Amino acid sequence: MIKVEKLFFTYPGRKEPTLKGMDFTIKKGEIFGFLGPSGAGKSTAQKILIGMLKNYQGGVHIFDQEVSQVRRSYYERIGVAFEFPNFYQRLTAIENLSLFRNLYAGDTAVPAQLLTEMGLMESAHMKVAAYSKGMKMRLNLCRALLNNPDILFLDEPTSGLDPLNAKKVKDKIISLKEEGKTILITTHNMSTADEICDRVAFIVDGKIELINSPRNLRVLHNKRKVRLEYRRKDHQLVTSEFDLQGIGTNHDFLGILQTHNVETIHTQEATLEDIFINVTGRGLK
Amino acid sequence: MRFPAAFLYDIKIQFRHGLYAVYMLVSLFYIIALHQIPEQYREIAGIFITFSDPGVLGFFFIGGLVLLEQNQNILDNLFITPYKVEEYIFSKALSLTVLSVLTSYIIHISVFGVSHYLVLFLVGVFLTSMFFTIFGLGVAVRCHTLNGFFFLSSIYSLIFLLPLLEITGMDHFLFMLLPTKGALLLISSGFHSITTWEAIYSVVMLLSWGVIAFIWARKSFYNMIIRKASEGKTL
Ligand SMILES: Nc1ncnc2c1ncn2[C@@H]1O[C@H](COP(=O)(O)OP(=O)(O)OP(=O)(O)O)[C@@H](O)[C@H]1O
Ligand SMILES: [Mg+2]
C-alpha cells in the first residue's frame, strides 16, 4: 500500500536534512506507528506521504503512484488529521464537518454519526471556538474520516485526551483497521503504540532505527525474570528475582511461595519505552 | 456539489463574522447621506459611492478572510481534500460579490427609486466586484498581517482608482484601458442610459481584466501558498 525508499528531505534554509534516508513499507490493513522524540521528523515524513511536501529525494509509492505526482483525486482516498486541530472557529462542529464533507465527490460518512461515535453529539451545535483541546482533537479525527478513506494519516491522535476519550479514539482506530483501512499514526505515547500498532518504527534524528511489532520487541527484550515481593516473619518487605527458565523446579522460589506471604509477583517485561531507550540510547521526551 | 457547498459556506462564514450586519449599517449610512446631498449632485455621488464601496468592498474583505484562513492554518486542511485552488478563488469572489450586488441594489432603490432600468447597473457592480475581489486575493496571499495587506492593497489599488479623477475634470486616454472606466459607465447606467457601444466596451474591459486578475491570483496562490507549503516554508 505504501512503499518508501531512501527518503531524504531538507527544509529550505537548513543545511542538514531532516529526513536522512528512510525505508519502510506498510501493508494494507495495517496500523503502523511512527515513534520517536520531538523533532525526529515524524510529522515531516507524514507530510510527504500526504503529498504536501514535494521536494523530497527518494521514492514514495502510494496506491502505485509516486506521491509527488499525484492529482487532487488522491485526496478522495486518504484522510488526514494534522497534529494541530484547526477549524472555522465561527462555525459549529457539525457545520465544519458538513463543509469539509461537501468537498469530496465520492461517498461520504454522516457527520452526526461520527460525532456520536466520538462522544461529541451533545456539542454538535456548539461553535468550535468554544471547544476544548480534547474536543477539537476528536473532531479532527471525525474530519479525517469523512470521505471513508482507504489510508488514514493520524498525527498524535490521542494527545491531549483523557483516558476515557483516548480509549474511544483507540477503539475507533482498531475498528477501522478491521474494516481493512491502512493507518499510519504518529505518537510519543508508547503505551498507545503498544496497544494498537501492528508494527512500529523507531525514528530518531530523521532515521529509522528499527521496525518490528510491539509483541516481538517485548519478547526480544524480555529479561525473562520473575520478581516477587513478600513479607518475612518480622514483617520486613523483601524483593527477589528468579530466572523464568526452570522456575517450576526452582527450590528457593517454590520455598518462598509455600512459606511466605507473597504480596506481588510479576514477570519483568520490558515496556516499549524501555526498549526504545535501549535501542536508540535516547529518551522519548 | 462541491462548488455550491463551498460557496454557501463562504457566505455563512462571512455572515458569522458580521459582514452582513456591518454592511446593513454602512448601507443605511449611505442612504441617509445620499438623501442629504443636494439633488443636482446626488447622481454623481451615487455613482461614486456605488463604485467605491459595494463595488470594491470585496477587495478589502477578501484580505481579511484569506489571512484569517491562513493564520488559523485552515488552508492546509482545505487543500488535503480534492478542493481546487480555482474553485477556492471563485467561491470567495462570488460570495463577496453577492454582498456587493445586494447592498448596491438596496442603496440604489432606497435613494433613487425603482423606476430605473437596473440590469446593466447590477451587471456593472457584479463584474467590478468580481474583478476587485479576485485581484485582492492575489494581493492578500503576499501578506502575513492585515496591516501589511492594507498597506500593499492601497498601493496596488491606486492605479485602478486613477480614472476617478475624471470626476474632477481630469482625464487621460490611458484611463480607457483600465477596468475602472467601464465600471463607472455601467454603474452610471442606473441613472441615465448609456449607448450600446459603451455597454459593450465596459463589459469587455471588465471581463478581460477579470480574466487577467484570475490568472494572476491563481498563480500568486500557487506560488505563495501551495508551493511554499510544498517546500515546507512556513507561510
Ligand atoms: N517548516 C519547517 N521549516 C524548517 N524546519 C522545520 C519545519 N518544520 C519542521 N522543521 C524541523 O524539522 C525537524 C523535524 O520536525 P517534525 O515536526 O517532523 O518533528 P516531529 O517528529 O513530528 O516532532 P513532534 O513529536 O514534536 O511533533 C525539527 O527539527 C523541526 O525544527
Ligand atoms: Mg510532529
Side-chain angles (χ1 to χ4, degrees):
Chain A
M1 204 76 169
I2 299 178
K3 188 172 168 66
V4 173
E5 289 168 308
K6 298 195 181 63
L7 176 60
F8 284 83
F9 181 81
T10 310
Y11 280 107
R14 295 231 165 187
K15 291 190 204 81
E16 283 258 305
T18 293
L19 303 186
K20 300 166 185 155
M22 288 188 165
D23 290 271
F24 59 92
T25 53
I26 304 177
K27 292 189 286 285
K28 183 175 175 344
E30 190 173 29
I31 303 181
F32 191 89
F34 273 174
L35 299 187
S38 194
K42 306 180 297 291
S43 299
T44 304
Q46 204 173 92
K47 282 184 180 160
I48 291 173
L49 298 191
I50 64 172
M52 222 174 120
L53 297 177
K54 293 194 194 286
N55 295 2
Y56 59 81
Q57 280 118 48
V60 180
H61 288 271
I62 300 181
F63 301 130
D64 299 318
Q65 333 167 49
E66 185 66 37
V67 83
S68 58
Q69 309 294 327
V70 292
R71 293 166 184 284
R72 297 217 67 78
S73 58
Y74 176 60
Y75 295 105
E76 294 281 354
R77 301 182 63 189
I78 68 164
V80 179
F82 287 113
E83 192 168 2
F84 302 105
N86 293 306
F87 293 90
Y88 287 102
Q89 301 284 317
R90 301 276 175 107
L91 297 182
T92 65
I94 198 134
E95 285 168 339
N96 266 288
L97 290 186
S98 23
L99 189 168
F100 280 96
R101 176 195 197 188
N102 276 300
L103 301 177
Y104 295 99
D107 281 347
T108 47
V110 181
Q113 200 171 330
L114 293 172
L115 288 173
T116 306
E117 285 177 38
M118 284 300 118
L120 289 172
M121 201 50 211
E122 299 90 81
S123 330
H125 296 284
M126 207 158 126
K127 297 231 172 86
V128 172
Y131 262 43
S132 70
K133 166 94 198 294
M135 292 163 87
K136 281 191 218 161
M137 286 305 291
R138 282 176 282 149
L139 188 59
N140 207 26
L141 179 63
C142 294
R143 175 168 58 191
L145 298 176
L146 282 169
N147 56 328
N148 298 318
D150 298 325
I151 305 182
L152 264 169
F153 297 93
L154 308 176
D155 203 344
E156 309 269 2
T158 55
S159 95
L161 294 183
D162 60 82
L164 216 66
N165 282 311
K167 177 149 172 35
K168 266 192 201 120
V169 167
K170 286 182 276 191
D171 290 347
K172 180 66 189 173
I173 294 174
I174 289 167
S175 85
L176 287 162
K177 169 199 157 77
E178 280 157 9
E179 290 169 29
K181 313 279 191 205
T182 306
I183 301 160
L184 174 67
I185 80 167
T186 292
T187 183
H188 319 121
N189 188 322
M190 286 292 167
S191 66
T192 301
D194 201 356
E195 282 168 63
I196 65 178
C197 292
D198 297 307
R199 285 188 305 150
V200 294
F202 286 179
I203 300 181
V204 177
D205 217 5
K207 284 190 288 246
I208 294 183
E209 298 278 334
L210 162 162
I211 299 180
N212 212 331
S213 72
R215 195 186 136 47
N216 278 350
L217 285 172
R218 263 184 279 113
V219 171
L220 284 172
H221 291 261
N222 203 334
K223 294 198 208 114
R224 304 197 54 76
K225 289 210 186 281
V226 178
R227 171 183 292 187
L228 55 151
E229 292 178 318
Y230 59 93
R231 297 267 173 206
R232 278 203 319 234
K233 294 268 150 48
D234 57 2
H235 299 293
Q236 180 93 22
L237 191 68
V238 181
T239 307
S240 302
E241 269 190 21
F242 298 93
D243 281 341
L244 206 52
Q245 188 89 34
I247 191 124
T249 53
N250 185 319
H251 290 292
D252 295 340
F253 176 73
L254 295 174
I256 293 170
L257 289 189
Q258 281 157 11
T259 56
H260 289 89
N261 190 5
V262 175
E263 297 206 335
T264 68
I265 173 163
H266 291 291
T267 51
Q268 291 303 91
E269 307 253 342
T271 65
L272 215 47
E273 182 134 22
D274 299 333
I275 299 166
F276 189 92
I277 293 168
N278 242 331
V279 171
T280 66
R282 294 272 294 268
L284 265 173
K285 296 285 148 62
Chain B
M1 271 307 283
R2 175 154 67 231
F3 187 78
F7 167 72
L8 288 176
Y9 269 105
D10 269 330
I11 290 189
K12 194 173 231 171
I13 289 162
Q14 288 155 23
F15 188 85
R16 291 277 167 86
H17 277 95
L19 240 62
Y20 278 74
V22 166
Y23 254 77
M24 258 171 54
L25 285 178
V26 171
S27 303
L28 199 65
F29 169 79
Y30 282 136
I31 291 166
I32 294 168
L34 281 169
H35 274 295
Q36 305 304 312
I37 290 177
E39 197 119 11
Q40 72 263 39
Y41 301 122
R42 201 175 286 166
E43 182 181 314
I44 190 93
I47 295 173
F48 183 77
I49 284 174
T50 307
F51 170 79
S52 67
D53 212 323
V56 184
L57 121 176
F59 182 73
F60 293 101
F61 281 119
I62 189 79
L65 290 171
V66 170
L67 284 168
L68 185 99
E69 290 182 352
Q70 200 172 317
N71 294 338
Q72 296 182 354
N73 290 314
I74 287 178
L75 292 177
D76 284 351
N77 288 290
L78 285 177
F79 293 110
I80 48 135
T81 75
Y83 200 28
K84 298 191 182 77
V85 169
E86 293 77 10
E87 294 170 316
Y88 175 87
I89 296 175
F90 227 69
S91 170
K92 285 278 178 300
L94 206 58
S95 57
L96 282 168
T97 296
V98 166
L99 187 56
S100 294
V101 171
L102 209 66
T103 47
S104 55
Y105 184 69
I106 290 171
I107 294 174
H108 198 280
I109 59 170
S110 326
V111 177
F112 304 99
V114 286
S115 55
H116 296 82
Y117 170 71
L118 287 185
V119 173
L120 271 182
F121 168 83
L122 292 176
V123 167
V125 174
F126 178 86
L127 292 176
T128 307
S129 172
M130 286 298 280
F131 164 72
F132 275 105
T133 311
I134 293 171
F135 176 48
L137 195 143
V139 177
V141 296
R142 283 154 213 281
C143 306
H144 303 286
T145 61
L146 261 187
N147 284 338
F149 173 73
F150 284 128
F151 177 72
L152 202 60
S153 58
S154 332
I155 294 177
Y156 273 84
S157 61
L158 214 54
I159 175 164
F160 291 103
L161 300 181
L162 278 178
L164 291 179
L165 289 173
E166 200 187 83
I167 292 173
T168 69
M170 269 176 70
D171 206 348
H172 196 283
F173 75 98
L174 281 178
F175 291 178
M176 293 287 289
L177 297 177
L178 293 174
T180 320
K181 189 109 178 174
L184 291 169
L185 269 172
L186 285 178
I187 290 170
S188 71
S189 80
F191 303 91
H192 50 75
S193 53
I194 59 173
T195 67
T196 311
W197 282 115
E198 283 176 323
I200 291 173
Y201 155 80
S202 304
V203 169
V204 168
M205 280 317 273
L206 280 169
L207 272 179
S208 321
W209 276 96
V211 171
I212 293 169
F214 183 77
I215 292 169
W216 180 72
R218 183 177 59 180
K219 192 163 179 287
S220 307
F221 199 94
Y222 270 110
N223 287 343
M224 307 305 290
I225 309 274
I226 307 279
R227 209 192 64 211
K228 275 199 184 162
S230 80
E231 288 170 350
K233 288 204 181 101
T234 31
L235 296 173

